[in-house]
Amino acid sequence: MPRYQVNSAASQGLWTCHGCGLLCRVGKTQADRASCCPRCGAGLHRRKPHSLQYAWAFLLAAIVCYIPANLMPIMLTEMLSGTQRDTIMSGVAYLWRNGSWPLALVVFIASVLVPLLKILSMLLLLLTVHWRSRWAPRQRTRLYRLLEVVGPWSMLDIYVVGLLVALVQLQSLATIKAGPGAVAFGAVVVLTMLSAMHFDPRLIWDVFEDDDERQASAAND
Amino acid sequence: MSDKPLPQTTDEHDSATGADDPRSPDGVPLAVARPARPGRWSPSLVWLIPLVAALIGGYLAVQAILARGPTITITFRSGEGLEAGKTRIKYKDVDIGEVTAVRISPDSKNIEATAQLSKEAERFLARDSRFWIVRPRIAGGSVSGLGTLLSGAYVGMDAGKSSEMSQHFTGLDVPPIITGDLPGRQFVLKASELGSLDIGAPVYFRRVPVGQVVAYQLDRNGRNVDITVFVNAPYDRFVTADSRFWHASGIDLSVSANGLKVNTQSLSAIMLGGVAFETPVAPDEGKQAGAGATFTLSNTREQAMQSPDHEVVPLQLKFQQSVRGLAVGAPVDFRGIVIGEVTAIGMEYDAPRKDFNMLVTIRIFPSRLISMSSNLDETRLHQLKLDKMVEHGMRAQLRSGSLLTGQLFVALDFFRDAKPARLGRSQGMDVLPTIPGDLEELQGVLQRIARKLDKVPFDSIGQELDATIKELHATLGTVQQLGNSLDGKVVPQTLQTLQQLQQTLDNANQALQSNSPLQQDVRKAAQEVSETARSFRALSDYLDRHPEALIRGKQESKP
């Protein structure tokens, strides 16, 4: 197992304020108690408060929403020929069948694969933190960064549907409406973003800090 | 990692904000302790989000499962216009499902369409529910399904009435004209031919379209066409057991003393055919006909309005003469009233006579006799036994309907002086005795005359005539000679005589004139005569008084 330098501020009893970024010293005895920033008065926490709980909650909500997002139509096209309900996968299948497979691939990746991978990645991060895994912490932090970067971009579908809904309103001839799937899909994107936002990547490293402390105490003994 | 830079930066911050902050030994500001809020158990709130999501998701899932209707398969002959995932199933134009798969049936003869129906469609799936593909159609004078030109075909549905449910259906080839819930009644019309009728052809009542032809089929033995018509609800009460139906398809053109008369139902009926019906008895009086009642479809209104011929008596006639001009369908007539028709014409070998009989089968409708003689009710008609009638001279006769066309018809009548005959029986039919027709009799008479004429010795007559004529000719010559001599001798003498006669007459005339001397002489003579007579009278008077004067002579009168 690689040895990481974990001489962190937290281990020195130094916390940063979430509000103004002031580094504060929190006494060892005060560690369990609530304290606030001497400059802006915001509450001080060693790590993001309830990080795992929030991340889990949002992630679970996202997982729940992922099912209707893929099963329910995201776009209702009402034409003279009747109403057509398109789910994401039916759109992908349509594009694939009609030969525009690059576009099908783009839609598939952006709308199905990326949200799924986001959910899976979050699951991985949360589970590893829970299990205090020491496995590949650097890669996991990189994954987390990627998650944060990619997050807003998977709203592509919603963006397209929104544009179409705004543009194609010919009333009697053709109307496009956003289906219930679009809401679910938007919820998935937002919830995964929230989940990622609440996740504190420092938790990945805390396990190594504990190791250090244990080693230090062992050395002291 | 070094701690050194940190105190410096915090120093600057602290000096800017306030100096009374407690500071840690290394210059880092100390956090301000604050009392922990008791009982603050925040985690519960955030879990509401997945809970709500799960609830909504669960609700949607439950709803989807609950709303999931039955899946049915429909077998169509052709899959034209069917598209999986696109073709809708509509009941009264309301979407109730969608075709989810279209495939060829295992026997590769038909198309099997699998359809997912909505929940509320479940109760429509009776065994006799009907499905058909709605496409643009032009039929029965109307265009239907135009909407499908743009939207594509859809599957129409008509809910059945059966209590038995089913999941497998056979699609119709053509949309049904009448949907199951349309109020009205169906009737069956028996026709000898379909004519120009088609499904969707209108049914008229007093030229108001009140229904449609919904189906037709040949009956089992192929003798009739069974035409099913549907009469819409408020009008079906006009169909009574007494109603008459007829083909309203054609143009009825008649020439009468009033001029040319064209009688039609409507233009569309001419183009597409149609059926009209009428009820001779007021509809309120007659008993309404039940659904599915059977009627006879006549060809014309006249035919239809004749009394219905419930009773049909087939008869056989044997003619020994030619039946040329007699056609199947020719009328059988009783003193000018059509009481039947010819149904078949054949012939049979009559062994004893060593000749052929022309076998004519007719059928007569005795009820027509009843309807036309109103005081004769049906029971009495039965007393009019055919054999009795034959005893009284009832015979069949072929008569010429028209000398121009040579059409024949069969006439029944009483011939008192006919040879006595009896009603025969052959092949289960009564055989009515026949007598030769008028024309036939005339023919016989003419033949006899011709035969007699044939016997006249025209040759010798001719020769004699010739000799006579020659003699006559000679006589005429003599006569001419005589004439000529008369001309030469007699005529001048005659003329002379005449002239002398004229003279004589002139003289006579002169003599007879009043102022002629002869006349005066005559007058004078006459006066003399009368005077003489007077003196004679005086003499006779005197003698009467004095007869002695004859002896003594006239005495002197004494004063």
Side-chain angles (χ1 to χ4, degrees):
Chain A
M1 179 175 292
R3 181 96 165 79
Y4 299 99
Q5 292 214 324
V6 284
N7 190 14
S8 67
S11 64
Q12 306 291 318
L14 294 170
W15 297 2
T16 34
C17 169
H18 294 302
C20 61
L22 179 71
L23 186 74
C24 306
R25 177 168 295 283
V26 181
K28 286 241 163 149
T29 48
Q30 285 179 312
D32 302 324
R33 287 160 49 187
S35 48
C36 58
C37 172
R39 187 165 63 179
C40 67
L44 284 178
H45 307 94
R46 182 170 171 262
R47 296 283 176 258
K48 283 183 189 170
H50 318 299
S51 166
L52 283 178
Q53 251 190 56
Y54 274 73
W56 269 119
F58 286 123
L59 184 65
L60 285 180
I63 291 170
V64 168
C65 288
Y66 187 75
I67 299 163
N70 278 289
L71 292 181
M72 292 176 84
I74 63 158
M75 194 163 80
L76 303 171
T77 322
E78 283 171 14
M79 284 182 289
L80 282 177
S81 57
T83 308
Q84 197 174 339
R85 294 144 219 262
D86 284 302
T87 60
I88 294 171
M89 275 319 283
S90 80
V92 171
Y94 176 81
L95 287 171
W96 188 270
R97 264 207 310 276
N98 284 279
S100 37
W101 53 268
L103 207 55
L105 223 58
V106 167
V107 175
F108 181 71
I109 291 170
S111 307
V112 183
L113 213 58
V114 166
L116 185 69
L117 288 177
K118 266 164 78 180
I119 288 170
L120 290 177
S121 310
M122 273 312 293
L123 259 179
L124 180 81
L125 289 177
L126 285 168
L127 284 174
T128 49
V129 164
H130 253 275
W131 293 333
R132 309 184 63 81
S133 164
R134 289 177 182 80
W135 168 74
R138 271 173 192 276
Q139 284 83 346
R140 278 191 278 151
T141 19
R142 214 171 292 148
L143 183 66
Y144 175 72
R145 281 206 297 279
L146 193 70
L147 267 183
E148 286 227 291
V149 169
V150 158
W153 288 102
S154 47
M155 284 292 249
L156 209 70
D157 285 62
I158 302 300
Y159 176 69
V160 170
V161 170
L163 264 184
L164 282 177
V165 167
L167 288 175
V168 186
Q169 290 295 342
L170 299 175
Q171 293 302 342
S172 55
L173 283 177
T175 316
I176 295 180
K177 284 184 197 161
V183 178
F185 187 79
V188 169
V189 174
V190 170
L191 287 168
T192 48
M193 278 167 71
L194 283 172
S195 179
M197 207 176 86
H198 277 94
F199 181 73
D200 196 336
R202 290 177 293 190
L203 292 167
I204 298 170
W205 300 98
D206 277 356
V207 61
F208 297 104
E209 197 171 320
D210 293 350
D211 284 354
D212 281 2
E213 272 176 22
R214 213 173 297 128
Q215 277 174 5
S217 61
N220 285 348
D221 290 340
Chain B
M1 222 191 232
S2 152
D3 291 338
K4 280 254 164 146
L6 279 170
Q8 283 162 3
T9 50
T10 46
D11 254 348
E12 282 166 20
H13 275 286
D14 283 351
S15 57
T17 47
D20 56 344
D21 284 349
R23 285 178 181 263
S24 63
D26 51 2
V28 176
L30 278 171
V32 180
R34 68 173 177 197
R37 280 176 220 160
R40 187 168 154 264
W41 192 63
S42 57
S44 67
L45 282 176
V46 78
W47 289 104
L48 280 178
I49 293 167
L51 200 70
V52 167
L55 279 178
I56 292 174
Y59 168 73
L60 287 176
V62 166
Q63 206 185 34
I65 290 167
L66 284 183
R68 197 181 157 85
T71 306
I72 57 165
T73 54
I74 313 165
T75 311
F76 287 110
R77 195 156 308 167
S78 151
E80 186 198 334
L82 291 182
E83 211 174 321
K86 229 172 184 181
T87 308
R88 321 296 306 173
I89 294 181
K90 293 185 179 184
Y91 174 66
K92 289 181 183 288
D93 271 348
V94 172
D95 220 328
I96 56 161
E98 189 184 75
V99 172
T100 52
V102 179
R103 60 179 170 271
I104 293 164
S105 68
D107 59 1
S108 66
K109 278 182 187 158
N110 292 314
I111 293 296
E112 264 182 19
T114 309
Q116 176 73 54
L117 299 190
S118 60
K119 185 80 177 165
E120 71 261 22
E122 207 161 28
R123 61 203 152 93
F124 301 138
L125 297 179
R127 255 183 91 79
D128 55 347
S129 285
R130 295 178 289 180
F131 292 86
W132 64 95
I133 302 176
V134 179
R135 306 185 184 106
R137 276 177 68 86
I138 302 173
S142 62
V143 180
S144 65
L146 264 191
T148 59
L149 275 180
L150 289 169
S151 65
Y154 63 87
V155 176
M157 178 198 178
D158 180 33
K161 290 190 180 110
S162 167
S163 55
E164 230 176 306
M165 305 306 263
S166 177
Q167 305 266 301
H168 304 277
F169 300 93
T170 304
L172 304 177
D173 290 333
V174 287
I177 301 279
I178 305 299
T179 47
D181 53 351
L182 196 70
R185 272 181 292 171
Q186 279 192 353
F187 303 103
V188 179
L189 307 181
K190 283 210 174 287
S192 56
E193 54 173 320
L194 184 63
S196 54
L197 292 178
D198 196 1
I199 287 173
V203 175
Y204 293 98
F205 178 69
R206 302 193 185 282
R207 301 208 185 170
V208 177
V210 295
Q212 278 156 315
V213 172
V214 288
Y216 56 81
Q217 62 175 57
L218 284 171
D219 71 359
R220 209 152 1 113
N221 45 23
R223 283 205 182 153
N224 286 314
V225 186
D226 285 350
I227 300 168
T228 311
V229 296
F230 187 87
V231 179
N232 297 337
Y235 309 111
D236 59 343
R237 67 190 168 91
F238 298 128
V239 181
T240 68
D242 228 21
S243 291
R244 317 284 168 78
F245 287 78
W246 69 90
H247 275 291
S249 327
I251 303 176
D252 190 2
L253 200 125
S254 60
V255 185
S256 70
N258 298 328
L260 189 73
K261 209 166 122 186
V262 182
N263 197 10
T264 63
Q265 284 289 333
S266 77
L267 202 61
S268 78
I270 297 171
M271 310 263 293
L272 304 157
V275 170
F277 74 91
E278 210 169 286
T279 306
V281 184
D284 302 331
E285 292 172 26
K287 199 170 63 125
Q288 279 191 23
T294 305
F295 294 92
T296 307
L297 186 64
S298 309
N299 282 326
T300 62
R301 182 172 181 273
E302 279 68 36
Q303 213 177 68
M305 295 312 282
Q306 283 166 355
S307 268
D309 307 310
H310 297 307
E311 199 184 349
V312 176
V313 177
L315 285 177
Q316 230 173 36
L317 312 173
K318 288 178 184 172
F319 291 103
Q320 278 141 33
Q321 66 201 76
S322 159
V323 292
R324 184 188 170 83
L326 188 72
V328 169
V332 174
D333 166 307
F334 179 75
R335 294 183 186 168
I337 289 167
V338 176
I339 58 159
E341 61 185 8
V342 173
T343 53
I345 299 170
M347 65 185 178
E348 63 162 16
Y349 184 64
D350 189 3
R353 219 160 50 81
K354 293 197 171 47
D355 198 355
F356 285 95
N357 279 336
M358 305 320 290
L359 214 60
V360 175
T361 312
I362 60 167
R363 56 177 180 192
I364 58 170
F365 309 117
S367 47
R368 291 195 187 178
L369 288 172
I370 309 175
S371 69
M372 289 175 184
S373 51
S374 51
N375 57 349
L376 188 71
D377 58 20
E378 208 155 339
T379 50
R380 285 184 59 193
L381 184 83
H382 282 298
Q383 294 165 1
L384 291 175
K385 293 285 194 224
L386 214 50
D387 45 357
K388 285 267 170 58
M389 290 202 203
V390 171
E391 262 174 47
H392 280 89
M394 166 77 94
R395 298 287 184 276
Q397 190 182 40
L398 283 182
R399 284 187 192 164
S400 173
S402 156
L403 281 172
L404 272 180
T405 57
Q407 292 294 308
L408 292 181
F409 66 92
V410 176
L412 300 185
D413 210 336
F414 290 99
F415 298 91
R416 305 290 179 196
D417 49 356
K419 274 184 272 180
R422 289 177 60 200
L423 195 69
R425 194 149 180 89
S426 149
Q427 294 164 13
M429 272 190 275
D430 288 329
V431 182
L432 197 70
T434 62
I435 68 165
D438 293 343
L439 209 64
E440 218 61 24
E441 256 178 323
L442 191 69
Q443 237 167 19
V445 171
L446 283 176
Q447 239 160 24
R448 281 201 297 279
I449 292 171
R451 227 169 275 139
K452 279 177 185 163
L453 276 177
D454 212 25
K455 285 176 189 156
V456 175
F458 284 108
D459 279 358
S460 56
I461 290 174
Q463 280 163 6
E464 278 168 34
L465 204 63
D466 203 26
T468 316
I469 284 169
K470 271 176 193 157
E471 274 171 36
L472 202 63
H473 200 255
T475 316
L476 276 173
T478 326
V479 168
Q480 197 167 14
Q481 273 174 352
L482 187 69
N484 283 348
S485 64
L486 276 175
D487 242 21
K489 291 172 187 170
V490 179
V491 170
Q493 279 181 2
T494 316
L495 260 174
Q496 225 173 344
T497 317
L498 281 173
Q499 274 165 1
Q500 282 171 358
L501 190 66
Q502 183 75 38
Q503 246 172 345
T504 317
L505 281 173
D506 282 350
N507 290 343
N509 210 16
Q510 261 176 348
L512 285 170
Q513 259 165 8
S514 58
N515 52 354
S516 66
L518 181 67
Q519 280 276 347
Q520 283 173 354
D521 289 350
V522 169
R523 212 173 292 142
K524 236 181 251 173
Q527 276 170 354
E528 294 278 321
V529 169
S530 83
E531 263 169 49
T532 313
R534 210 179 295 141
S535 55
F536 258 111
R537 203 192 304 159
L539 176 66
S540 65
D541 283 349
Y542 184 79
L543 282 176
D544 213 15
R545 274 176 283 152
H546 303 286
E548 70 275 7
L550 271 177
I551 307 158
R552 294 173 186 177
K554 195 174 170 180
Q555 284 182 353
E556 273 316 303
S557 61
K558 294 165 186 170

